[in-house]
Amino acid sequence: MPDLDATTTLDRLTTYGPYFTVGTGSVPDGNWQPTATLRERAVRDDLVAATAERMGVAEARVAASTLFFGYAARLWSVAVGSIVVAGRCVNLDIEELLWRSESGALHLHLEHPRFGGPADAEVLDGQLAPLIAAWRDTVAPGLLWGNTASALCGAGDVLGPDADVVVAALFRDVRLSDTLDPASGRRRSCCLFYRTGSGGVCGDCPFPTAPLVQKHSGPELRS
């Protein structure tokens, strides 16, 4: 495996697509914030409302699930991808990794890229576990852990067989392994995609077909 620095590693990852892309160097113009702010209620609520408007949904939990899924997918893509390319996980510290929202997606930036700790520490302990705890009043933690596991599978699929060992090791973490049925590989929770205008179920959904959509009694977004 080549001896690459973190910046070169991130540059190489961009060939896999937008979910693997992290800007590097001087911070571009725009409203960039540390990813730590995603745990703040006001920041979360603004992002969820914008996501709901773009998706055309009224339920906050549906928009929050979609937003979280996309963020988790980006983190796993960078973490697992950097291990595949360079043998080490890029640092994803909540104060150093920056974000901004653009066209409904969270874009990421590292001014001074460096390698960090193991992928489970960088993604699960440092980023997603605290975020799940902070968002639990909007969407169920079990659902978000299911999104976390599904996003990891998706990143591994894009990276191909070179990522299999890395993904398998990460799934030994009980926080991820408990989210999937070991026999079928299907999730134990649903990401709520069936409640969007597009409807339908995902390939790893616990439901074989989309359930009948009824009005949810939980919090809705209001103008």
Side-chain angles (χ1 to χ4, degrees):
M1 185 169 291
D3 185 14
L4 304 176
D5 61 25
T7 299
T8 303
T9 298
L10 291 173
D11 287 344
R12 293 194 178 186
L13 279 181
T14 62
T15 61
Y16 287 97
Y19 279 83
F20 294 81
T21 299
V22 178
T24 60
S26 299
V27 180
D29 293 338
N31 185 29
W32 293 95
Q33 304 177 53
T35 49
T37 64
L38 292 171
R39 303 175 189 180
E40 298 174 8
R41 182 187 297 268
V43 172
R44 177 202 65 193
D45 289 350
D46 284 348
L47 282 171
V48 169
T51 301
E53 182 177 6
R54 177 176 57 84
M55 295 173 64
V57 299
E59 294 178 71
R61 64 179 185 144
V62 176
S65 174
T66 299
L67 178 65
F68 180 94
F69 206 137
Y71 183 55
R74 282 168 168 77
L75 292 177
W76 281 133
S77 296
V78 174
V80 178
S82 63
I83 295 173
V84 168
V85 170
R88 301 171 64 187
C89 183
V90 169
N91 165 65
L92 299 171
D93 181 85
I94 59 171
E95 296 296 341
E96 296 178 47
L97 182 64
L98 307 179
W99 71 275
R100 74 173 179 184
S101 180
E102 183 178 318
S103 302
L106 297 184
H107 293 252
L108 303 178
H109 190 91
L110 281 167
E111 186 173 8
H112 303 292
R114 58 185 176 87
F115 290 113
D120 58 344
E122 294 292 340
V123 177
L124 296 180
D125 300 335
Q127 284 276 353
L128 295 184
L131 193 63
I132 289 170
W135 287 26
R136 64 183 303 127
D137 61 330
T138 297
V139 62
L143 185 158
L144 295 182
W145 279 114
N147 284 5
T148 300
S150 187
L152 173 56
C153 289
D157 288 344
V158 174
L159 288 161
D162 288 343
D164 288 350
V165 172
V166 180
V167 172
L170 288 165
F171 264 103
R172 286 197 282 271
D173 189 305
V174 69
R175 292 172 291 185
L176 301 180
S177 60
D178 279 358
T179 66
L180 302 180
D181 182 294
S184 66
R186 289 181 176 273
R187 294 174 53 146
R188 300 187 190 277
S189 63
C190 174
C191 72
L192 305 178
F193 177 71
Y194 77 93
R195 300 186 71 87
T196 68
S198 300
V201 294
C202 305
D204 61 353
C205 186
F207 299 122
T209 59
L212 178 66
V213 176
Q214 298 178 339
K215 186 175 178 61
H216 176 52
S217 59
E220 294 189 353
L221 292 149
R222 293 178 173 83
S223 57

